[in-house]
Amino acid sequence: MQISKVALGWMLAGLACVFFGTGGIAAGDDGVLKPIDQRFAAADGDEVPSFQKHVVNLFGRLGCNGRACHGSFQGRGGFQLSLFGYDFQADHQALFDEASPRVDLDVPDESLIIAKPTDDTLHEGGQRYELGGWQHHVFRRWIAAGAPWEKTPLKLVQLRINPPEIQFEKAGQQVQLQAVAVWEDGTQEDVTPLCRFQTNDSQVAQIDEAGRVTATDAGDTHIVVFYDNGVVPVPVFRPVSDQFGAKYPKVPAPTRVDELVVEKLRKLGIVPSELCSDAEFLRRVCLDMTGTLPTPLEVERFLADTAADKRSRKIDELLETPQYAAWWATKLCDFTGNNEAQLVNVTPVQGTASQQWYDWIYRRIAENTPYDDLVAGILTAVSRPPDQSYLEYCKEMSDLYRAGSQDSFADLPNMTHYWARRDFREVDARVIGVAYSFMGIRIECAQCHKHPFDQWSKDDFDQFKNLFAGVVANGNAAPNPETRRQYDQLVQQLGVGSLRGNDLRRELPRLLREGKSVPFPEVFVNVPQSRTGRGGRGPAAPPTARLLGGDTIDLTKTRDPRVDLMDWLRSEDNRFFAPAFVNRVWASYFHAGIVNPPDDLSLANPPSNKALLDHLARGFVASGFDMKWVHREIANSRTYQLSWQPNATNAGDERNFSRAVPRRLPAEVLYDAVQQATSSDDEIANLQRNVRERAIAIPGSGNRAGRARTSAYALTIFGRSTRESNCDCDRSMESSLLQTVYLHNDQEVLRLIESRRGGWVEQAARQLRGGAAETGTAASGSTEARGQRYLQGQIAEAEARIRRLRQSGDKRAAEQLQTRVAAMKKRLESLQPAKVAAPAPTQIATADLNGLIRQTYLRTVSRYPGEDEIGRARQYLEESGDPVKGMQDLLWALLNTKEFLVNH
C-alpha cells in the first residue's frame, strides 16, 4: 500500500507528539529554559520544536503570517496562513496542502518553508533567515521529527517581561528586554527571540527585532511585546526636566486622583500648572458636566461667593440639574447606538423609538440608577416576563401609545430597542456592539483572525457570540406556537389578518387611534436544546458559549445567557465593564482618556496611568456603580481644576494631565451655547427650564432626529455623532473651514444676532434707550411679552407634532393642527409692536455702556472683561454710527473667538 506524503505527515505528527518532548533541555539556575536561538544554534540536537510555542511564533517573528504576506486573505504564492497565527490546525494543514505542500518529510531541506525564505531570488518576500542559522535549525528539526503539532492548544499563563518598566535619563541609552513564557504545566522559557515588538511612540523610544530599547526624545510611551496570545506593554520614561525623582518639587495633591497623577509626573519631571481661575472652573465644569454655558447671573454669583467649598458645592448642584441628565443621556445614546435610521418598524408608530430610547436612559440618569442596573435593563432586555401572555403584552403597549396616556416607555423595566434595531440582526454585529458599548473594546478583527493588538482569537469571538445567538427581535416572530396563535387571533379580530408587511404597518397607527390593541414586535430569547452526536450515537457536547477570557456556559442550563454575561460584567474583578465607563467619563472631562482612544481597551493600547484607572474603576464598583461618584471624584480633583496655561515642564504634555488642554466644544454644546449667548435674560431662563428643546437633548442621530429649534446642518458640520458604527470616531472634534464660515456668515447665526425676537441685542437696545419698549417687541416682563413667548412655544410644539403625525401617516390630524397653527401665528403678529429707529449716539450719552459690555462677555466667554477690553469695546460703540449695530458686532466678534469655541 502506498501512502501519500501528506498522510504520512499526519501519522508521524501524531507519533512525534508521543515520543518527542523537551526532556533534558538545559535550563538556567532560575528554572527558565534558555532562549531558542541558543538551544538551536547547532544543527544537531535532541529537542523537537513545538508547533505552537516555536514554529508558529517564528512565522510571526519573520513576518510570514502578516497581512502583507501569507497571512493575507488571499495568501501568497498559493500558500495561506492564519493572520497573526493562532489557528493552529488550519496553519498545519496549509503546510501539507496537496496542491502546494510547504513541508517535505523525506528531504526536510527541500521543504519550501526552508528553501524559499533563505533565497533572496526565489522568495518574493526576500530572504527572511539564513541557512545554518538557528531559525533554519528550528524548522529543519521540526520537519525531521515528523512536523508534530499540538491538537489541543497549550495555555499561556503569563508572559513575563523584564524589566517591567524602563526609566531612561538621556538619549541613546539602551535596555535589553527579556520575555519569559509561563505555561500551564509550569514550564518557563525565555522566548525573547520569538517575540514581536512595537513602540507606541518612536519619538520617545525605539526597539529593534532583538528586543533592545533605545531612548530618543524625552517623554513617556509603552513598548508592547507579543508572543502567542500574550500581549504585554512595558512603560518607558525619560524625564523632560531635571526636576524628577528626589529633585521633584512639593506639589499639592489633595485627592487620591491627584496623588496618582503626581506620582507619574514625578518620574517624568513634569510640574503641573497652577489652579485655574474661578471663572475658568465654572465655565469648564458647566460645559463638561451639563453641556451648558453658565448663565450671566450664575457667573456673577459664583465669582462673588467667597466660601472655600464653593467649587465642590457647584459640582453637587450641577449633578442635580436636568441639563446633566440630558447631556449624559445623549452620551450614553452615543455609546449604545441610538440611531433613528436603524429603528424603522421597531414600533407601530413611526418616529417614536429614538425618543423612547433617549427617555429611558434619561430617566435612569436623572434618578441616578446604578450603572450596572441601567446596563442590565438594556443588555438583558426582553419585551415581557414569562407570566405575561402575548395578548396582555400587546394591550399594555397599546395603552402606552394611546393619546393622553399617563404612562411612558421610560416606566418599562427594559429597553428592548437596543436589540430590535436593523443593524443588530446579525449575531456578529451584536458581539461587536456589546463589546463596544459596555466593554470599551474593538473586537471586530477577531471575526476573521487573531486580533493583532489583543489576546482575542477567532475562536474567542465565535464562542462569545453564542451568548447572543438565541436573541430574537423581529416583527411577527413568535417564541412558541401559543404566542403565534395569540398573534393570529389578534390580527383576525382587528380585521387585518390578510395584510402583510407595509400594508399591515400602515393600518396599525389608525387602529391604535381608534382605541384598539394592536400587535407589537417583541424581543425574546430561544433556549437551545441539547444536541445528539453524529448518526444519533448518543448525546453530543451541549451548545456552549464562553465569556471573553472567562468561563464557559452550558446554554441548555440557562434561561438567558445574557444574564450570565451581565453577572460577569458587574463582578468586582471584571477588567472591562467598570474601567470602560470611568475611562469614558474621564475622557469627557479631559482632552483624552486614560486609555486613549477611550473605546480601545486593548492590551496593546495600555492606560497612560494604570494606577489611576484602577483607582477609579475600583471606587466605582465599591460605590455600587454610582455614576455621580465618578463625576464627583474627577471634578473635585485638583488635576481637573488645573489651568490651561503651561509652564516650562508641561508645555508638551498631552497624555499625563498636568494641565488642561483646550478642546473644541462638542457639536450640540456649541450649538446650544450660540443660542444661549444670543438670548435675552428671559430667554436664557426659558432655555434652562425647557431642556428638551435643546440640542443636547436630541434623542437620535441623523437629520430626522432634529427639533424645530435646532439646525441639522450646524450639528453635522461640527461633528455630532452619526452613531453609524461601533466607534467613538462617529463623533468628530476636528476643526474645518465650514465651521468657520458658519459662525462668520451663516444666515442662522446672523439672524440670532441681528433680528432675533427676545434676543440679547434687543434687550441691550432697550437698555440703551433707558428701558423704553420701542425696539420692535414688547418689554420682556410685560403681559404682551409673556403672551408672545407662550404663543411661540405653542407654535413650536404644534409644528413638531405635525411632523410626527405626517410621519405616522395621519394626514387628517396634521391638517387640522396646521389650521390651529395658522391662527396662532396670526395672533402672534397682532402682538408685535411697530419698530422704531435705533437710538442715535447722542441719545445714549448717559447709558451704562460698561454694564452692557460686561454682560456681553458674561454671556459668551463667562467672565468679566478686563479694563482694556472694556475700553476698546466702548470706543467702538461710541464711534459707531449705530450703537445697536455696534452691540451686534461686539456679540459677533466674541462668538468667533477661540475663547468661546473651546473649553479651557
Side-chain angles (χ1 to χ4, degrees):
M1 181 177 67
Q2 199 168 20
I3 301 177
S4 70
K5 287 184 179 180
V6 174
L8 180 62
W10 283 94
M11 291 171 60
L12 289 175
L15 291 171
C17 288
V18 176
F19 292 111
F20 289 86
T22 57
I25 302 172
D29 294 337
D30 55 1
V32 177
L33 295 179
K34 292 181 179 179
I36 196 170
D37 58 345
Q38 296 179 23
R39 305 197 318 266
F40 285 80
D44 298 328
D46 296 331
E47 181 183 358
V48 175
S50 160
F51 185 66
Q52 177 182 346
K53 293 181 179 179
H54 305 130
V55 175
V56 171
N57 285 287
L58 185 52
F59 280 145
R61 173 65 178 268
L62 297 172
C64 304
N65 57 18
R67 61 168 55 93
C69 199
H70 300 289
S72 70
F73 290 116
Q74 309 94 301
R76 279 292 179 89
F79 176 43
Q80 182 181 12
L81 293 169
S82 62
L83 186 59
F84 307 116
Y86 222 71
D87 189 340
F88 305 120
Q89 181 175 354
D91 287 346
H92 197 269
Q93 289 175 341
L95 291 167
F96 286 93
D97 183 71
E98 291 275 7
S100 181
R102 256 48 187 179
V103 170
D104 189 330
L105 296 175
D106 294 333
V107 187
D109 280 327
E110 294 298 319
S111 299
L112 292 182
I113 63 170
I114 294 177
K116 293 190 72 171
T118 56
D119 190 313
D120 187 44
T121 304
L122 185 63
H123 190 228
E124 183 181 345
Q127 185 180 23
R128 309 309 296 171
Y129 62 91
E130 295 180 353
L131 285 172
W134 68 268
Q135 299 96 331
H136 173 214
H137 299 157
V138 169
F139 286 130
R140 193 185 188 289
R141 282 203 223 171
W142 177 69
I143 297 170
W149 72 291
E150 298 83 1
K151 294 183 179 180
T152 301
L154 306 171
K155 184 178 180 180
L156 178 67
V157 176
Q158 181 187 10
L159 182 60
R160 190 171 65 238
I161 309 299
N162 294 312
E165 182 179 290
I166 300 173
Q167 178 88 46
F168 288 122
E169 293 188 5
K170 60 183 180 180
Q173 283 186 303
Q174 293 186 330
V175 168
Q176 174 65 51
L177 293 180
Q178 180 197 37
V180 175
V182 181
W183 299 92
E184 60 182 338
D185 62 0
T187 303
Q188 299 185 47
E189 178 183 354
D190 186 333
V191 293
T192 309
L194 295 170
C195 291
R196 293 182 294 115
F197 304 95
Q198 78 171 32
T199 176
N200 284 355
D201 188 344
S202 60
Q203 293 185 331
V204 175
Q206 297 178 349
I207 187 164
D208 62 17
E209 290 186 352
R212 189 164 39 251
V213 185
T214 303
T216 49
D217 294 341
D220 69 301
T221 187
H222 286 84
I223 297 294
V224 186
V225 185
F226 302 86
Y227 172 79
D228 195 71
N229 74 331
V231 182
V232 179
V234 179
V236 180
F237 307 95
R238 185 187 157 207
V240 303
S241 74
D242 59 359
Q243 300 181 71
F244 67 94
K247 298 179 182 178
Y248 195 71
K250 188 174 181 179
V251 172
T255 72
R256 183 57 179 157
V257 166
D258 300 319
E259 291 173 357
L260 295 170
V261 170
V262 170
E263 187 177 296
K264 183 177 180 185
L265 296 180
R266 183 178 290 110
K267 296 178 181 179
L268 288 164
I270 296 176
V271 179
S273 295
E274 298 298 321
L275 276 178
C276 66
S277 68
D278 283 343
E280 287 174 327
F281 166 77
L282 179 64
R283 188 177 197 271
R284 183 188 301 172
V285 74
C286 286
L287 289 168
D288 284 338
M289 191 170 283
T290 69
T292 304
L293 275 177
T295 67
L297 181 60
E298 194 175 1
V299 177
E300 290 179 303
R301 287 176 175 173
F302 188 77
L303 296 182
D305 189 346
T306 58
D309 66 342
K310 68 178 184 180
R311 294 192 180 190
S312 62
R313 284 191 289 107
K314 174 55 70 173
I315 291 167
D316 289 342
E317 175 189 318
L318 293 174
L319 287 172
E320 302 306 319
T321 62
Q323 289 87 351
Y324 157 75
W327 179 226
W328 283 89
T330 291
K331 283 184 169 291
L332 262 66
C333 283
D334 282 353
F335 304 149
T336 54
N338 182 0
N339 185 333
E340 189 165 341
Q342 300 299 333
L343 296 171
V344 178
N345 300 328
V346 166
T347 70
V349 181
Q350 299 300 319
T352 59
S354 179
Q355 184 69 59
Q356 291 169 345
W357 186 323
Y358 178 90
D359 291 344
W360 193 93
I361 292 178
Y362 176 94
R363 167 82 63 83
R364 281 143 187 83
I365 293 178
E367 295 176 350
N368 201 32
T369 299
Y371 178 68
D372 62 326
D373 289 342
L374 184 155
V375 172
I378 299 173
L379 192 58
T380 66
V382 290
S383 296
R384 55 191 172 100
D387 59 350
Q388 185 182 43
S389 72
Y390 180 71
L391 291 177
E392 291 170 338
Y393 160 70
C394 291
K395 183 180 185 307
E396 178 187 28
M397 296 302 294
S398 297
D399 290 344
L400 185 150
Y401 276 79
R402 227 171 308 279
S405 172
Q406 299 301 309
D407 296 325
S408 165
F409 186 87
D411 298 331
L412 300 177
N414 296 320
M415 208 284 291
T416 52
H417 296 342
Y418 180 81
W419 297 97
R421 49 189 167 149
R422 292 193 299 182
D423 57 353
F424 246 40
R425 291 174 180 171
E426 298 297 327
V427 180
D428 283 11
R430 296 172 181 175
V431 175
I432 295 167
V434 168
Y436 165 77
S437 296
F438 308 119
M439 300 171 69
I441 60 175
R442 303 173 180 178
I443 198 174
E444 52 266 35
C445 290
Q447 280 179 278
C448 305
H449 54 76
K450 168 74 170 63
H451 198 293
F453 306 117
D454 217 329
Q455 69 191 72
W456 315 123
S457 66
K458 186 177 185 302
D459 182 60
D460 290 323
F461 186 96
D462 291 340
Q463 282 290 311
F464 189 57
K465 79 177 182 182
N466 289 344
L467 293 167
F468 315 111
V471 180
V472 180
N474 55 7
N476 299 328
N480 55 60
E482 175 59 23
T483 300
R484 185 70 204 188
R485 185 190 66 76
Q486 293 180 35
Y487 170 83
D488 292 338
Q489 173 187 333
L490 182 58
V491 294
Q492 291 298 331
Q493 289 176 350
L494 293 170
V496 292
S498 62
L499 300 181
R500 297 290 183 272
N502 289 333
D503 292 334
L504 175 60
R505 282 189 281 269
R506 278 191 288 268
E507 284 298 305
L508 296 182
R510 178 185 63 80
L511 294 168
L512 267 177
R513 290 193 300 273
E514 293 176 358
K516 306 288 181 60
S517 291
V518 302
F520 270 75
E522 64 171 334
V523 173
F524 56 88
V525 179
N526 279 327
V527 179
Q529 304 299 314
S530 295
R531 299 167 297 189
T532 59
R534 288 185 180 180
R537 297 193 300 267
T544 61
R546 188 171 63 243
L547 303 168
L548 285 177
D551 296 334
T552 298
I553 299 170
D554 182 346
L555 297 179
T556 65
K557 296 181 179 180
T558 180
R559 177 184 292 273
D560 185 347
R562 298 174 303 165
V563 174
D564 298 86
L565 171 62
M566 190 66 234
D567 291 342
W568 173 68
L569 288 175
R570 62 181 12 142
S571 62
E572 187 175 353
D573 59 349
N574 188 281
R575 71 179 184 90
F576 304 109
F577 185 62
F581 181 77
V582 300
N583 185 57
R584 278 173 162 148
V585 176
W586 182 278
S588 297
Y589 283 94
F590 292 86
H591 62 285
I594 303 171
V595 174
N596 203 55
D599 61 340
D600 185 17
L601 270 65
S602 66
L603 294 174
N605 185 40
S608 60
N609 191 322
K610 185 178 185 302
L612 175 61
L613 183 62
D614 289 346
H615 162 71
L616 291 172
R618 285 195 301 267
F620 184 40
V621 175
S623 73
F625 295 97
D626 182 350
M627 291 182 282
K628 289 183 179 178
W629 179 89
V630 183
H631 294 286
R632 287 192 181 96
E633 187 74 2
I634 294 172
N636 277 308
S637 70
R638 189 177 190 273
T639 300
Y640 175 69
Q641 299 177 23
L642 293 174
S643 170
W644 60 272
Q645 298 185 35
N647 57 45
T649 67
N650 70 359
D653 176 37
E654 293 198 355
R655 63 168 62 123
N656 293 299
F657 316 110
S658 63
R659 62 185 174 92
V661 176
R663 51 214 153 86
R664 204 206 74 210
L665 299 180
E668 303 94 324
V669 177
L670 180 58
Y671 186 86
D672 281 348
V674 173
Q675 294 282 331
Q676 179 172 316
T678 56
S679 296
S680 66
D681 292 341
D682 286 345
E683 279 293 304
I684 288 176
N686 187 52
L687 287 171
Q688 298 293 312
R689 289 190 300 268
N690 300 325
V691 69
R692 289 178 69 91
E693 293 301 314
R694 300 266 305 280
I696 60 169
I698 296 175
S701 64
N703 293 344
R704 294 166 54 189
R707 298 195 194 280
R709 296 183 60 168
T710 58
S711 165
Y713 171 72
L715 296 176
T716 298
I717 64 171
F718 281 100
R720 181 173 185 262
S721 178
T722 59
R723 302 174 188 166
E724 292 176 342
S725 63
N726 296 291
C727 180
D728 284 359
C729 58
D730 282 344
R731 177 179 292 278
S732 172
M733 297 298 287
E734 299 297 321
S735 299
S736 72
L737 180 60
L738 282 177
Q739 297 167 8
T740 302
V741 172
Y742 174 81
L743 289 169
H744 279 198
N745 300 317
D746 192 88
Q747 288 302 310
E748 182 177 26
V749 175
L750 298 180
R751 177 186 60 78
L752 291 173
I753 296 172
E754 297 172 0
S755 58
R756 177 178 181 176
R757 296 187 183 280
W760 162 240
V761 172
E762 183 181 89
Q763 179 180 326
R766 287 198 305 274
Q767 295 182 38
L768 289 171
R769 293 190 58 83
E774 298 177 348
T775 57
T777 190
S780 63
S782 68
T783 302
E784 292 84 354
R786 288 194 295 272
Q788 290 174 27
R789 289 195 297 275
Y790 174 77
L791 282 172
Q792 288 168 347
Q794 290 293 303
I795 291 170
E797 290 179 8
E799 288 178 337
R801 175 67 177 161
I802 288 169
R803 285 194 298 276
R804 290 194 293 270
L805 288 170
R806 286 174 175 164
Q807 289 174 355
S808 64
D810 194 348
K811 295 182 180 179
R812 182 179 177 184
E815 290 171 358
Q816 291 174 345
L817 191 54
Q818 186 68 56
T819 303
R820 291 174 55 195
V821 168
M824 286 190 288
K825 287 182 176 180
K826 189 173 182 180
R827 170 62 179 158
L828 181 62
E829 290 176 4
S830 70
L831 294 176
Q832 306 293 343
K835 291 186 178 181
V836 297
T842 56
Q843 295 176 290
I844 60 170
T846 58
D848 186 7
L849 283 183
N850 288 5
L852 289 174
I853 292 167
R854 289 191 184 95
Q855 285 295 312
T856 309
Y857 272 79
L858 287 172
R859 69 200 325 105
T860 52
V861 293
S862 309
R863 64 172 175 84
Y864 288 120
E867 289 301 321
D868 58 332
E869 292 172 315
I870 291 177
R872 289 196 301 271
R874 184 182 180 91
Q875 180 181 357
Y876 181 82
L877 292 176
E878 290 175 342
E879 292 177 354
S880 66
D882 182 344
V884 174
K885 180 65 168 64
M887 290 300 302
Q888 293 172 354
D889 292 345
L890 176 61
L891 181 57
W892 179 91
L894 287 170
L895 291 177
N896 280 279
T897 60
K898 287 184 179 179
E899 188 175 359
F900 176 77
L901 297 173
V902 304
N903 194 355
H904 48 82

